[in-house]
Coordinates of all heavy atoms in Angstrom, one line a residue:
M3 N 34.4 40.0 48.2 CA 34.4 40.6 49.5 C 34.2 39.5 50.5 O 33.7 38.4 50.2 CB 33.2 41.6 49.6 CG 33.2 42.4 50.9 SD 32.2 43.8 50.9 CE 30.6 43.0 51.1
R4 N 34.7 39.8 51.7 CA 34.6 38.8 52.8 C 34.5 39.5 54.1 O 34.9 40.7 54.3 CB 35.8 37.8 52.8 CG 37.0 38.5 53.2 CD 38.2 37.5 53.2 NE 39.4 38.2 53.6 CZ 40.6 38.0 53.1 NH1 40.7 37.1 52.2 NH2 41.6 38.6 53.6
I5 N 33.9 38.9 55.0 CA 33.7 39.3 56.4 C 34.5 38.5 57.3 O 34.4 37.3 57.2 CB 32.2 39.3 56.8 CG1 31.4 40.2 55.9 CG2 32.1 39.8 58.3 CD1 29.9 40.1 56.2
E6 N 35.4 39.1 58.1 CA 36.3 38.4 59.0 C 35.9 38.7 60.5 O 35.8 39.9 60.8 CB 37.7 38.6 58.8 CG 38.2 38.1 57.5 CD 39.7 38.3 57.3 OE1 40.3 39.0 58.1 OE2 40.2 37.7 56.3
L7 N 35.6 37.7 61.3 CA 35.3 37.9 62.7 C 36.5 37.3 63.5 O 36.8 36.1 63.3 CB 34.0 37.2 63.0 CG 32.8 37.7 62.3 CD1 31.6 36.8 62.6 CD2 32.5 39.1 62.6
T8 N 37.0 38.1 64.4 CA 38.1 37.6 65.2 C 37.7 37.8 66.7 O 37.2 38.8 67.1 CB 39.4 38.4 64.9 OG1 39.6 38.3 63.6 CG2 40.6 37.8 65.7
W9 N 38.0 36.7 67.5 CA 37.7 36.8 68.9 C 38.8 36.0 69.7 O 39.4 35.1 69.2 CB 36.3 36.2 69.2 CG 36.2 34.8 68.9 CD1 36.4 33.7 69.7 CD2 35.9 34.2 67.6 NE1 36.2 32.5 69.1 CE2 35.9 32.8 67.7 CE3 35.7 34.7 66.3 CZ2 35.7 31.9 66.7 CZ3 35.5 33.8 65.2 CH2 35.5 32.5 65.5
P10 N 38.9 36.4 71.0 CA 39.9 35.6 71.8 C 39.3 34.2 72.1 O 38.2 34.1 72.6 CB 40.0 36.5 73.0 CG 38.8 37.3 73.1 CD 38.3 37.5 71.7
R11 N 40.1 33.2 71.8 CA 39.7 31.8 72.2 C 40.9 31.1 72.6 O 41.8 30.9 71.8 CB 39.0 31.2 70.9 CG 38.4 29.9 71.2 CD 37.6 29.4 70.0 NE 38.6 28.9 69.0 CZ 38.2 28.5 67.8 NH1 36.9 28.4 67.5 NH2 39.0 28.1 66.9
H12 N 40.9 30.7 73.9 CA 42.1 30.1 74.5 C 42.2 28.7 73.9 O 41.3 28.0 73.8 CB 41.9 30.1 76.0 CG 41.9 31.5 76.5 ND1 42.9 32.4 76.6 CD2 40.8 32.1 77.1 CE1 42.5 33.5 77.1 NE2 41.2 33.4 77.4
G13 N 43.5 28.4 73.6 CA 43.8 27.0 73.2 C 43.5 26.7 71.8 O 43.5 25.6 71.3
A14 N 43.3 27.7 71.0 CA 43.0 27.5 69.6 C 43.9 28.4 68.8 O 44.2 29.5 69.1 CB 41.6 27.8 69.2
A15 N 44.5 27.8 67.7 CA 45.4 28.5 66.9 C 44.7 29.5 65.9 O 45.1 30.6 65.7 CB 46.2 27.5 66.1
D16 N 43.5 29.0 65.5 CA 42.7 29.9 64.5 C 41.6 30.6 65.3 O 40.7 30.0 65.8 CB 42.2 29.0 63.4 CG 41.5 29.8 62.3 OD1 41.8 31.0 62.2 OD2 40.7 29.3 61.6
R17 N 41.7 31.9 65.3 CA 40.7 32.7 66.0 C 39.9 33.6 65.1 O 39.2 34.5 65.5 CB 41.3 33.6 67.1 CG 42.0 32.8 68.2 CD 42.6 33.7 69.2 NE 43.4 32.9 70.2 CZ 44.2 33.4 71.0 NH1 44.5 34.7 70.9 NH2 44.9 32.6 71.8
T18 N 40.0 33.3 63.8 CA 39.3 34.1 62.8 C 38.3 33.3 62.0 O 38.7 32.2 61.5 CB 40.3 34.7 61.8 OG1 41.2 35.5 62.6 CG2 39.7 35.6 60.8
L19 N 37.1 33.7 61.9 CA 36.1 33.1 61.1 C 35.9 34.0 59.9 O 35.6 35.2 60.0 CB 34.8 33.0 61.8 CG 33.6 32.5 61.0 CD1 33.8 31.1 60.6 CD2 32.3 32.7 61.8
T20 N 36.1 33.4 58.6 CA 36.0 34.2 57.4 C 34.8 33.7 56.7 O 34.6 32.5 56.4 CB 37.2 34.0 56.5 OG1 38.4 34.4 57.3 CG2 37.1 34.8 55.3
V21 N 33.9 34.7 56.3 CA 32.7 34.4 55.6 C 32.7 35.1 54.3 O 32.7 36.3 54.2 CB 31.4 34.9 56.4 CG1 30.1 34.5 55.6 CG2 31.4 34.3 57.8
P22 N 32.8 34.3 53.2 CA 32.8 35.0 51.8 C 31.4 35.6 51.5 O 30.4 34.9 51.8 CB 33.2 33.9 50.9 CG 32.9 32.6 51.6 CD 32.9 32.9 53.1
V23 N 31.4 36.8 51.0 CA 30.1 37.3 50.6 C 30.1 37.5 49.0 O 31.0 38.1 48.5 CB 30.0 38.8 51.2 CG1 28.7 39.4 50.8 CG2 30.1 38.6 52.8
P24 N 29.1 36.9 48.4 CA 29.1 37.0 46.9 C 28.8 38.5 46.5 O 28.2 39.2 47.2 CB 28.0 36.1 46.5 CG 27.1 36.0 47.7 CD 28.0 36.2 48.9
A25 N 29.4 38.8 45.4 CA 29.1 40.1 44.8 C 27.7 40.2 44.3 O 27.3 39.3 43.6 CB 30.1 40.4 43.7
L26 N 27.0 41.2 44.7 CA 25.6 41.4 44.2 C 25.5 42.6 43.3 O 26.2 43.6 43.6 CB 24.7 41.6 45.5 CG 24.6 40.4 46.4 CD1 23.8 40.8 47.6 CD2 23.9 39.2 45.7
P27 N 24.6 42.6 42.4 CA 24.4 43.8 41.5 C 23.6 44.8 42.2 O 22.4 44.9 42.0 CB 23.8 43.2 40.3 CG 23.0 42.0 40.8 CD 23.9 41.4 41.9
A28 N 24.2 45.6 43.1 CA 23.4 46.5 44.0 C 22.6 47.5 43.3 O 21.5 47.8 43.6 CB 24.4 47.2 45.0
R29 N 23.2 48.0 42.2 CA 22.5 49.1 41.5 C 21.2 48.5 40.9 O 20.1 49.2 40.9 CB 23.4 49.6 40.4 CG 22.8 50.7 39.6 CD 23.8 51.3 38.6 NE 24.7 52.1 39.4 CZ 25.7 52.8 38.9 NH1 25.9 52.7 37.6 NH2 26.4 53.6 39.7
E30 N 21.2 47.3 40.3 CA 20.1 46.7 39.7 C 19.0 46.4 40.7 O 17.8 46.4 40.5 CB 20.4 45.6 38.8 CG 21.1 45.9 37.5 CD 22.6 46.3 37.7 OE1 23.2 46.0 38.7 OE2 23.1 47.0 36.8
L31 N 19.5 45.9 41.9 CA 18.6 45.5 43.0 C 17.9 46.8 43.6 O 16.7 46.7 44.0 CB 19.3 44.7 44.0 CG 19.8 43.4 43.6 CD1 20.7 42.8 44.7 CD2 18.6 42.5 43.3
L32 N 18.6 47.9 43.7 CA 18.1 49.1 44.4 C 17.2 49.9 43.5 O 16.4 50.7 44.0 CB 19.2 49.9 45.0 CG 19.9 49.3 46.2 CD1 21.0 50.1 46.7 CD2 18.9 49.0 47.3
R33 N 17.5 49.9 42.2 CA 16.8 50.9 41.3 C 15.3 50.8 41.4 O 14.6 51.9 41.6 CB 17.2 50.6 39.9 CG 16.7 51.6 38.9 CD 17.3 51.5 37.5 NE 18.7 51.9 37.6 CZ 19.7 51.3 37.0 NH1 19.4 50.2 36.3 NH2 20.9 51.8 37.1
P34 N 14.6 49.6 41.4 CA 13.1 49.6 41.6 C 12.6 50.2 42.9 O 11.6 50.9 43.0 CB 12.7 48.2 41.4 CG 13.9 47.5 40.7 CD 15.1 48.3 41.1
A35 N 13.4 49.9 44.0 CA 12.9 50.4 45.3 C 13.1 51.9 45.3 O 12.3 52.6 45.9 CB 13.8 49.7 46.4
L36 N 14.2 52.4 44.8 CA 14.4 53.8 44.8 C 13.4 54.6 43.9 O 12.9 55.7 44.3 CB 15.8 54.2 44.4 CG 16.9 53.7 45.3 CD1 18.3 54.0 44.7 CD2 16.8 54.5 46.7
R37 N 13.0 54.0 42.8 CA 12.0 54.6 42.0 C 10.7 54.7 42.7 O 10.0 55.7 42.7 CB 11.8 53.8 40.7 CG 10.9 54.4 39.7 CD 10.8 53.7 38.4 NE 12.1 53.3 37.8 CZ 12.4 52.0 37.7 NH1 11.6 51.0 38.0 NH2 13.6 51.6 37.2
H38 N 10.3 53.6 43.4 CA 9.0 53.6 44.1 C 9.1 54.6 45.3 O 8.1 55.3 45.5 CB 8.7 52.2 44.7 CG 7.5 52.1 45.5 ND1 6.3 52.3 45.0 CD2 7.4 52.0 46.9 CE1 5.4 52.2 46.0 NE2 6.0 52.0 47.1
A39 N 10.2 54.7 46.0 CA 10.3 55.6 47.1 C 10.3 57.1 46.6 O 9.7 57.9 47.2 CB 11.6 55.4 47.8
H40 N 10.8 57.3 45.4 CA 10.8 58.7 44.9 C 9.4 59.1 44.5 O 9.0 60.2 44.7 CB 11.7 58.7 43.6 CG 11.7 60.1 43.0 ND1 12.2 61.2 43.5 CD2 11.1 60.4 41.8 CE1 12.0 62.2 42.7 NE2 11.4 61.8 41.6
Q41 N 8.6 58.2 44.0 CA 7.2 58.4 43.6 C 6.4 58.6 44.8 O 5.4 59.4 44.8 CB 6.6 57.3 42.7 CG 7.3 57.2 41.4 CD 6.9 56.0 40.6 OE1 6.3 55.1 41.1 NE2 7.3 56.0 39.3
A42 N 6.7 57.9 45.9 CA 5.8 58.0 47.1 C 6.2 59.2 48.0 O 5.4 59.5 48.9 CB 6.0 56.7 47.9
W43 N 7.3 59.8 47.7 CA 7.8 60.9 48.6 C 7.0 62.2 48.4 O 7.0 62.8 47.3 CB 9.2 61.2 48.4 CG 9.9 62.0 49.5 CD1 10.2 63.3 49.4 CD2 10.2 61.6 50.8 NE1 10.8 63.7 50.6 CE2 10.8 62.7 51.4 CE3 10.1 60.4 51.5 CZ2 11.2 62.6 52.7 CZ3 10.5 60.3 52.8 CH2 11.1 61.4 53.4
T44 N 6.2 62.6 49.3 CA 5.4 63.8 49.2 C 5.7 64.7 50.5 O 6.3 64.1 51.5 CB 3.9 63.5 49.2 OG1 3.5 62.8 50.4 CG2 3.5 62.6 48.0
P45 N 5.2 65.9 50.5 CA 5.5 66.7 51.8 C 4.8 66.1 53.0 O 5.4 66.2 54.1 CB 4.8 68.1 51.4 CG 5.0 68.1 49.9 CD 4.8 66.8 49.4
A46 N 3.7 65.4 52.8 CA 3.0 64.8 54.0 C 3.9 63.7 54.5 O 4.0 63.5 55.7 CB 1.6 64.3 53.6
V47 N 4.4 62.9 53.6 CA 5.3 61.8 54.0 C 6.6 62.3 54.7 O 7.0 61.8 55.7 CB 5.6 60.9 52.8 CG1 6.7 59.9 53.2 CG2 4.4 60.2 52.3
A48 N 7.1 63.4 54.2 CA 8.3 64.0 54.8 C 8.0 64.5 56.2 O 8.8 64.3 57.1 CB 8.8 65.1 53.9
R49 N 6.9 65.1 56.4 CA 6.5 65.6 57.7 C 6.3 64.4 58.7 O 6.8 64.5 59.8 CB 5.2 66.4 57.7 CG 5.4 67.8 57.1 CD 4.1 68.6 57.4 NE 2.9 68.0 56.9 CZ 2.4 68.2 55.6 NH1 3.1 68.9 54.7 NH2 1.3 67.6 55.3
R50 N 5.7 63.4 58.2 CA 5.5 62.2 59.1 C 6.9 61.6 59.4 O 7.1 61.2 60.6 CB 4.7 61.2 58.4 CG 4.1 60.2 59.3 CD 3.0 59.3 58.7 NE 2.2 59.9 57.7 CZ 2.0 59.5 56.5 NH1 2.6 58.4 56.0 NH2 1.3 60.2 55.6
A51 N 7.8 61.5 58.4 CA 9.1 61.0 58.7 C 9.9 61.9 59.7 O 10.6 61.3 60.5 CB 9.9 60.9 57.4
L52 N 9.7 63.1 59.6 CA 10.4 64.0 60.5 C 9.9 63.9 61.9 O 10.7 63.9 62.9 CB 10.3 65.5 60.1 CG 11.2 66.0 59.0 CD1 10.7 67.3 58.5 CD2 12.6 66.0 59.5
A53 N 8.6 63.6 62.1 CA 8.0 63.4 63.4 C 8.6 62.1 64.0 O 8.9 62.1 65.2 CB 6.5 63.3 63.3
Y54 N 8.8 61.1 63.2 CA 9.5 59.9 63.8 C 10.9 60.0 64.0 O 11.6 59.3 64.8 CB 9.2 58.7 62.9 CG 7.7 58.3 62.9 CD1 6.9 58.3 61.8 CD2 7.2 57.7 64.1 CE1 5.6 58.0 61.9 CE2 5.9 57.3 64.2 CZ 5.1 57.5 63.0 OH 3.7 57.0 63.1
A55 N 11.6 60.9 63.2 CA 13.0 61.0 63.2 C 13.5 61.9 64.4 O 14.7 61.7 64.8 CB 13.5 61.7 61.9
E56 N 12.6 62.7 64.9 CA 13.1 63.6 66.0 C 13.6 62.8 67.2 O 14.8 63.1 67.7 CB 11.9 64.5 66.5 CG 12.3 65.5 67.5 CD 11.2 66.4 67.9 OE1 10.2 66.4 67.3 OE2 11.5 67.2 68.9
P57 N 13.0 61.8 67.8 CA 13.6 61.1 68.9 C 14.8 60.3 68.6 O 15.8 60.3 69.4 CB 12.5 60.1 69.4 CG 11.3 60.4 68.6 CD 11.6 61.4 67.5
V58 N 14.9 59.8 67.4 CA 16.0 59.1 66.9 C 17.2 60.1 66.8 O 18.3 59.8 67.2 CB 15.8 58.3 65.6 CG1 17.0 57.7 65.0 CG2 14.7 57.3 65.8
A59 N 17.0 61.2 66.2 CA 18.1 62.2 66.0 C 18.5 62.7 67.4 O 19.7 62.9 67.6 CB 17.6 63.3 65.1
S60 N 17.6 62.9 68.3 CA 18.0 63.4 69.6 C 18.9 62.3 70.3 O 19.9 62.7 71.0 CB 16.8 63.7 70.5 OG 16.0 64.7 70.0
S61 N 18.5 61.1 70.2 CA 19.3 60.0 70.8 C 20.7 59.9 70.2 O 21.7 59.7 70.9 CB 18.6 58.7 70.7 OG 17.4 58.7 71.4
A62 N 20.7 60.0 68.9 CA 22.0 59.9 68.2 C 22.9 61.1 68.6 O 24.1 61.0 68.7 CB 21.8 60.0 66.6
A63 N 22.3 62.3 68.7 CA 23.1 63.5 69.1 C 23.6 63.3 70.5 O 24.8 63.6 70.8 CB 22.2 64.7 69.0
S64 N 22.8 62.8 71.4 CA 23.2 62.5 72.8 C 24.4 61.5 72.7 O 25.4 61.7 73.5 CB 22.1 62.0 73.6 OG 22.5 61.7 74.9
A65 N 24.2 60.4 72.0 CA 25.2 59.4 72.0 C 26.5 59.8 71.4 O 27.6 59.4 71.7 CB 24.7 58.1 71.2
A66 N 26.4 60.8 70.4 CA 27.6 61.3 69.7 C 28.3 62.3 70.6 O 29.4 62.8 70.2 CB 27.2 61.9 68.4
G67 N 27.7 62.7 71.7 CA 28.4 63.7 72.6 C 28.1 65.1 72.2 O 28.9 66.0 72.5
A68 N 27.0 65.4 71.5 CA 26.7 66.7 71.1 C 26.4 67.5 72.4 O 25.9 67.0 73.4 CB 25.4 66.8 70.3
G69 N 26.7 68.8 72.4 CA 26.5 69.7 73.5 C 25.1 69.9 73.9 O 24.1 69.5 73.1
A70 N 24.8 70.4 75.0 CA 23.4 70.6 75.5 C 22.7 71.6 74.5 O 21.5 71.4 74.3 CB 23.4 71.2 76.9
L71 N 23.4 72.6 74.0 CA 22.8 73.6 73.1 C 22.3 72.9 71.8 O 21.2 73.1 71.4 CB 23.7 74.7 72.8 CG 23.2 75.8 71.9 CD1 21.9 76.5 72.6 CD2 24.2 76.9 71.7
A72 N 23.1 72.0 71.3 CA 22.7 71.3 70.1 C 21.5 70.4 70.4 O 20.6 70.3 69.5 CB 23.9 70.5 69.6
Q73 N 21.5 69.7 71.5 CA 20.4 68.8 71.9 C 19.1 69.6 72.1 O 18.0 69.1 71.7 CB 20.7 68.0 73.0 CG 21.8 67.0 72.8 CD 22.2 66.2 74.0 OE1 21.3 65.9 74.9 NE2 23.4 65.7 74.1
L74 N 19.2 70.8 72.6 CA 18.0 71.6 72.9 C 17.5 72.3 71.6 O 16.3 72.5 71.4 CB 18.3 72.7 73.9 CG 18.5 72.2 75.3 CD1 19.0 73.4 76.2 CD2 17.2 71.6 75.9
T75 N 18.4 72.5 70.6 CA 18.0 73.2 69.4 C 17.4 72.2 68.4 O 16.7 72.6 67.5 CB 19.3 73.8 68.8 OG1 19.9 74.6 69.8 CG2 19.0 74.7 67.6
L76 N 17.8 70.9 68.5 CA 17.3 70.0 67.5 C 15.8 69.9 67.3 O 15.3 70.0 66.2 CB 17.9 68.6 67.9 CG 17.7 67.5 66.8 CD1 18.5 67.9 65.5 CD2 18.3 66.2 67.3
P77 N 15.0 69.8 68.4 CA 13.5 69.8 68.2 C 13.0 71.1 67.5 O 12.1 71.1 66.7 CB 12.9 69.7 69.6 CG 14.0 69.1 70.4 CD 15.3 69.6 69.8
F78 N 13.6 72.3 67.8 CA 13.3 73.5 67.2 C 13.5 73.4 65.7 O 12.7 73.9 64.8 CB 14.0 74.7 67.8 CG 13.8 76.0 67.2 CD1 12.6 76.7 67.3 CD2 14.7 76.5 66.4 CE1 12.4 77.9 66.7 CE2 14.6 77.7 65.7 CZ 13.4 78.4 65.9
V79 N 14.7 73.0 65.3 CA 15.1 72.9 63.9 C 14.1 71.9 63.1 O 13.6 72.3 62.0 CB 16.5 72.4 63.8 CG1 16.9 72.1 62.3 CG2 17.5 73.5 64.3
I80 N 13.8 70.8 63.7 CA 12.9 69.9 63.1 C 11.5 70.5 63.0 O 10.9 70.3 61.9 CB 12.8 68.5 63.9 CG1 14.2 67.8 63.7 CG2 11.7 67.7 63.4 CD1 14.4 66.5 64.5
G81 N 11.1 71.2 63.9 CA 9.8 71.9 63.9 C 9.7 73.0 62.7 O 8.8 73.1 62.0
R82 N 10.9 73.7 62.6 CA 10.9 74.7 61.5 C 10.9 74.0 60.1 O 10.3 74.5 59.2 CB 12.2 75.5 61.6 CG 12.2 76.4 62.9 CD 11.3 77.5 62.8 NE 11.8 78.4 61.8 CZ 11.1 79.5 61.3 NH1 10.0 79.8 61.9 NH2 11.6 80.2 60.4
V83 N 11.5 72.9 60.0 CA 11.5 72.2 58.7 C 10.1 71.7 58.4 O 9.6 71.8 57.3 CB 12.6 71.0 58.7 CG1 12.4 70.1 57.5 CG2 14.0 71.6 58.8
Q84 N 9.4 71.2 59.4 CA 8.1 70.7 59.3 C 7.2 71.9 58.8 O 6.3 71.8 58.0 CB 7.5 70.1 60.5 CG 8.1 68.7 60.8 CD 7.6 68.1 62.1 OE1 7.4 68.8 63.1 NE2 7.5 66.8 62.2
Q85 N 7.4 73.1 59.5 CA 6.6 74.2 59.1 C 6.9 74.7 57.7 O 5.9 75.0 57.0 CB 6.9 75.4 60.1 CG 6.0 76.6 59.8 CD 4.6 76.3 60.1 OE1 4.2 75.6 61.0 NE2 3.7 76.8 59.2
A86 N 8.1 74.6 57.3 CA 8.5 74.9 55.9 C 7.8 74.0 54.9 O 7.3 74.4 53.8 CB 10.0 74.9 55.7
L87 N 7.7 72.7 55.3 CA 7.0 71.8 54.4 C 5.6 72.1 54.3 O 4.9 71.9 53.3 CB 7.3 70.3 54.9 CG 8.7 69.8 54.6 CD1 8.9 68.5 55.4 CD2 8.9 69.6 53.2
C88 N 4.9 72.5 55.4 CA 3.5 72.8 55.5 C 3.3 74.1 54.6 O 2.4 74.1 53.8 CB 3.1 73.1 56.9 SG 2.8 71.6 57.8
D89 N 4.2 75.1 54.7 CA 4.1 76.3 53.9 C 4.2 76.0 52.4 O 3.5 76.6 51.6 CB 5.1 77.3 54.4 CG 4.8 77.9 55.8 OD1 3.6 77.6 56.3 OD2 5.7 78.4 56.4
A90 N 5.2 75.1 52.1 CA 5.4 74.8 50.7 C 4.2 74.1 50.1 O 4.0 74.3 48.9 CB 6.6 74.0 50.5
S91 N 3.5 73.2 50.9 CA 2.4 72.5 50.3 C 1.1 73.2 50.5 O 0.1 72.7 50.0 CB 2.4 71.1 50.9 OG 2.0 71.2 52.3
G92 N 1.1 74.3 51.2 CA -0.2 75.1 51.4 C -1.1 74.5 52.4 O -2.3 74.8 52.5
Q93 N -0.6 73.6 53.3 CA -1.3 73.0 54.3 C -1.1 73.6 55.6 O -0.1 74.3 55.8 CB -1.0 71.5 54.4 CG -1.4 70.7 53.1 CD -1.0 69.2 53.3 OE1 -0.4 68.9 54.2 NE2 -1.4 68.5 52.3
T94 N -1.9 73.3 56.6 CA -1.7 73.8 57.9 C -1.2 72.6 58.8 O -1.5 71.5 58.5 CB -3.0 74.4 58.6 OG1 -4.0 73.3 58.6 CG2 -3.6 75.5 57.8
A95 N -0.4 73.0 59.8 CA 0.1 71.9 60.7 C -0.9 71.4 61.5 O -1.5 70.7 61.9 CB 1.3 72.4 61.4

């Protein structure tokens, strides 16, 4: 695999920079991290992740051109998911 960067450069014949990327065994590198993440994933962690994800999701929806209704509904949906996680684990919000 390689990455090629091209840019306008006046007076130069070659405007492309090619960077070779060595093949990495992604599956073997990711397997321990995914195993650890799977063991650490609990309803409390999911609720905390949702709390941090709400502003990011709102910004992404705005940048993607989502309508006003979708942007207004997003916090409600995230709150319902958090409530469902609380109900599933038997905890209170």
Side-chain angles (χ1 to χ4, degrees):
M3 184 167 78
R4 66 180 183 219
I5 299 172
E6 291 186 352
L7 304 171
T8 306
W9 65 95
R11 191 170 69 181
H12 299 290
D16 185 18
R17 296 180 184 164
T18 302
L19 172 67
T20 303
V21 180
V23 179
L26 296 175
R29 183 174 284 180
E30 287 77 18
L31 292 174
L32 290 176
R33 187 172 287 136
L36 292 175
R37 187 178 313 119
H38 177 69
H40 178 68
Q41 292 171 351
W43 195 254
T44 63
V47 170
R49 283 192 307 275
R50 198 172 325 128
L52 280 171
Y54 289 114
E56 183 177 353
V58 174
S60 296
S61 297
S64 176
L71 183 60
Q73 292 180 26
L74 291 172
T75 307
L76 193 59
F78 174 74
V79 171
I80 290 175
R82 294 290 292 175
V83 171
Q84 287 175 327
Q85 184 63 41
L87 286 170
C88 285
D89 292 345
S91 65
Q93 296 179 352
T94 59

